[in-house]
Amino acid sequence: MFGSTPVCVVLSMDFCNLYHMSTSGDADVSSPVLSGVPVVAGVRYAPVVRPGRPPSDDDDPTAAPADPSAEDERFRAAVTAVAARLRDRATRTAGPAAEVLTATATLAEDRAWLGAADKRIGAGLPAERAVREAVAQFTDLFTKMGGLMAERVTDLQDIRDRVVAELRGLPEPGVPLPDVPSILCAEDLAPADTAGLDPALVVGLATSRGGPTSHTAIIARQLGIPCVVAVGGLDVVPAGEMVLIDGTAGTVTVAPDPSAAADAVTNAQRADEQTARWSGPGATADGHPVGILVNVADGAAARAARRTPAEGVGLFRTELCFLDRDTEPTVDEQAQIYGEVLEAFAGRKVVIRTLDAGSDKPLGFAGQPEEPNPALGVRGIRIARDNPGLLDHQLAGIAAAADATGNQPWVMAPMIATAEEAREFAAAVWRYGMTPGVMVEVPAAALLADRILEHVEFLSIGTNDLAQYTMAADRMSADLAALTDPWQPAVLALVAAAARAGGAVGKPVGVCGEAAADPLLACVLVGLGVTSLSAASAAIGRVGAKLAEVSRTQCEEAADAVLACAGAAEARTAARAILG
Ligand code: PEP
Ligand code: MG
């Protein structure tokens, strides 16, 4: 469809301009290659699937229906269609996903809310408005009741959006469950959406927004789904179009030649098989040991990560377990969730990070204030200031999980900016008999790492936020992706400062930000003095295999070369010249 004139008729001017720019003027034979920022390596060829947006109430009909009983029939038919679709999907999936779909279908047909909507339609409201009002009645009530009932609020709102979309003849909102393996293309995705993706059906992920360290990117890494973000021109590629996504080159090719696309997939698979042969433990070619650890979001991710050569967990992002919660999980619930990760890595190192709520990961129960600039606001450890119970309950949950599993984790705090914060956090962790550490994500913490290390046993550098705060560039901004590039020498100078401080007192300094997932940059980090690298499962093999190819001296030479550079591109080239 893209090879001839009609493309400009059916698609926007933006796409046409992009198309002509990226095909070197030969619009008749080439396919448009859209460029973005590579996030998860891997090449896949599949049709595009797109999430539907929740229908806005601005477009709901306002006039009273001429025949309320016909309107009620229209409403009931929409509910039946939505529930049937959910049940049909449940039969085509398995495990917890099937249970969730069946439960949602049952809730869609719940008599209480259907009755509330019927009543409003009978009183003359159009079905769309009746649905919104009836759902609001129950969500208000459930929110007030709190606990498990409050958790149904999101489910009911999801049903509301599906029923209204059905009434208005719009595509189903949310991330669809495709019938065939597909490439999910979206403007951006909420962490809760991406967390539920099935990697067997969503085989590629491309977004037009978001940076390489956005949480969409992080979860794509977690699931090992090839991913490219900040892809210009992506929003006009329609659902159903065949695309070739290349998560290494950072490209999305629209309607490529099918046999060339199949060859590209086969070649990439061959390269993957080579890295799959690396079996650990982490070390340079001349035997300098480097811990290769994995980042996980929950027990399921940890169990999957046990199939990689990862020696332990370097970052357990606990807040990702609770993104859909409006109420604080109990200590027992938390203990059970953390215990799953400790059990998956029994007898091995596990670093648990306390809740990093705020900014792009708001937690309903964290009591965060409305702020004009949340990335610089009350997030991470700062939440504990006004809400010390939250931290204490979490530490109690972690300690209980440690007792139950016999695996003693290290515990670290996000967003530490001062030695005083580190001291207070360490005291709280010691009270539970656990080993405290902190993340280095704020430049102040890197600059004063020696003073922070007087209080804690280890540092873990979060290069995603460290880049954001060093370069004063929002990590979510596609426009600023070049600034939040972890190859920026200013960011690496701060990594060097923190690693030096750790080396001086013999305390470990790891990197758990996305920089550790880039095999070349991982070698540079080792040259800077970093003692462990923690990355998503999908990156473990590539990072370990690359490190095993180079000597410690090469890593150190590359680190020196990079620190002498003026920019990220120059730094990459300098490192490549030394590390291959
Ligand atoms: C980081 O900032 O590098 C980090 C690991 O934390 P998160 O990405 O969860 O903010
Ligand atoms: Mg961070």
Side-chain angles (χ1 to χ4, degrees):
M1 115 179 239
F2 290 96
S4 54
T5 339
V7 70
C8 292
V9 179
V10 293
L11 298 176
S12 78
M13 258 336 270
D14 279 359
F15 192 91
C16 292
N17 290 341
L18 208 140
Y19 173 58
H20 288 296
M21 274 184 331
S22 59
T23 54
S24 323
D26 192 355
D28 287 325
V29 292
S30 310
S31 305
V33 180
L34 313 179
S35 290
V37 178
V39 172
V40 179
V43 177
R44 300 285 185 276
Y45 175 54
V48 167
V49 68
R50 286 194 168 275
R53 290 165 205 263
S56 146
D57 57 2
D58 292 345
D59 302 322
D60 285 346
T62 47
D67 177 356
S69 84
E71 185 70 351
D72 198 46
E73 266 172 40
R74 194 170 76 87
F75 160 62
R76 289 294 184 141
V79 169
T80 305
V82 165
R85 210 174 293 132
L86 289 164
R87 286 211 173 85
D88 179 48
R89 286 178 176 181
T91 60
R92 285 186 281 132
T93 175
E99 284 164 28
V100 170
L101 289 165
T102 309
T104 314
T106 308
L107 187 65
E109 292 177 324
D110 181 87
R111 275 186 304 172
W113 95 266
L114 294 186
D118 290 338
K119 212 162 103 196
R120 287 171 169 83
I121 294 169
L125 270 192
E128 290 84 343
R129 292 190 171 244
V131 167
R132 289 189 196 279
E133 281 192 15
V135 167
Q137 175 190 328
F138 285 94
T139 53
D140 288 350
L141 181 71
F142 288 178
T143 307
K144 282 194 198 106
M145 289 164 81
L148 277 177
M149 294 314 285
E151 284 169 36
R152 310 311 306 220
V153 168
T154 318
D155 301 350
L156 262 179
Q157 286 168 340
D158 180 44
I159 289 164
R160 173 199 64 200
D161 292 339
R162 287 174 196 275
V163 173
V164 172
E166 181 69 23
L167 284 165
R168 301 228 314 254
L170 299 171
E172 207 167 358
V175 173
L177 192 68
D179 294 329
V180 293
S182 301
I183 293 171
L184 177 61
C185 295
E187 272 184 24
D188 205 356
L189 293 162
D193 284 339
T194 30
L197 294 181
D198 176 356
L201 283 177
V202 175
V203 296
L205 193 53
T207 61
S208 56
R209 294 157 58 89
T213 57
S214 65
H215 286 91
T216 294
I218 289 166
I219 290 167
R221 282 198 188 91
Q222 210 90 54
L223 296 170
I225 301 176
C227 175
V228 185
V229 298
V231 182
L234 186 72
D235 290 341
V236 290
V237 180
E241 186 62 86
M242 292 300 289
V243 295
L244 179 77
I245 184 169
D246 184 336
T248 310
T251 55
V252 176
T253 307
V254 184
D257 170 61
S259 78
D263 286 351
V265 172
T266 312
N267 291 341
Q269 269 161 359
R270 248 180 239 138
D272 282 351
E273 280 156 20
Q274 271 166 13
T275 35
R277 283 191 212 116
W278 181 78
S279 59
T284 57
D286 53 341
H288 170 61
V290 178
I292 302 284
L293 307 169
V294 67
N295 294 350
V296 300
D298 56 19
R303 285 186 290 277
R306 281 296 280 126
R307 293 194 285 273
T308 73
E311 293 147 44
V313 171
L315 169 62
F316 173 12
R317 289 183 165 95
T318 55
E319 66 282 355
L320 297 185
C321 303
F322 308 119
L323 288 173
D324 56 351
R325 298 282 301 245
D326 290 323
T327 52
E328 184 186 348
T330 64
V331 169
D332 286 350
E333 265 180 277
Q334 295 193 52
Q336 193 267 330
I337 290 168
Y338 308 147
E340 285 191 34
V341 173
L342 289 171
E343 210 162 81
F345 277 82
R348 290 162 182 256
K349 178 171 175 174
V350 174
V351 184
I352 301 184
R353 178 173 76 182
T354 55
L355 295 173
D356 184 21
S359 192
D360 56 340
K361 289 176 291 188
L363 286 185
F365 57 87
Q368 290 144 252
E370 284 275 323
E371 297 175 298
N373 197 348
L376 297 180
V378 182
R379 61 164 293 201
I381 191 65
R382 298 168 185 184
I383 286 175
R385 260 190 333 206
D386 292 333
N387 198 347
L390 209 56
L391 176 62
D392 195 56
H393 302 157
Q394 188 174 25
L395 292 177
I398 297 171
D403 282 349
T405 59
N407 191 1
Q408 287 297 325
W410 290 7
V411 183
M412 65 180 180
M415 281 292 288
I416 290 288
T418 68
E420 181 56 17
E421 287 171 351
R423 190 187 64 73
E424 283 173 12
F425 178 75
V429 175
W430 283 127
R431 273 199 290 281
Y432 283 96
M434 299 185 292
T435 305
V438 298
M439 291 197 67
V440 174
E441 301 176 283
V442 178
L447 292 168
L448 299 193
D450 55 346
R451 274 145 273 187
I452 286 177
L453 280 163
E454 287 171 16
H455 307 291
V456 295
E457 297 305 301
F458 68 96
L459 301 179
S460 181
I461 305 176
T463 45
N464 311 335
D465 277 314
L466 188 60
Q468 157 162 271
Y469 297 125
T470 305
M471 305 305 293
D474 186 343
R475 65 190 267 187
M476 299 298 287
S477 164
D479 293 340
L480 302 180
L483 284 176
T484 46
D485 188 337
W487 282 91
Q488 285 290 351
V491 177
L492 296 173
L494 290 171
V495 171
R500 243 190 337 267
V505 292
K507 291 186 177 178
V509 177
V511 168
C512 64
E514 301 303 297
D518 172 341
L520 198 65
L521 185 50
C523 299
V524 171
L525 297 172
V526 169
L528 291 171
V530 159
T531 56
S532 66
L533 300 161
S534 191
S537 288
I540 298 290
R542 265 187 294 273
V543 169
K546 179 69 199 168
L547 197 62
E549 271 177 20
V550 298
S551 68
R552 183 179 188 178
T553 313
Q554 270 178 297
C555 293
E556 286 170 350
E557 280 172 11
D560 288 345
V562 158
L563 289 180
C565 289
E570 195 190 320
R572 264 194 189 87
T573 309
R576 207 171 281 132
I578 295 166
L579 298 164

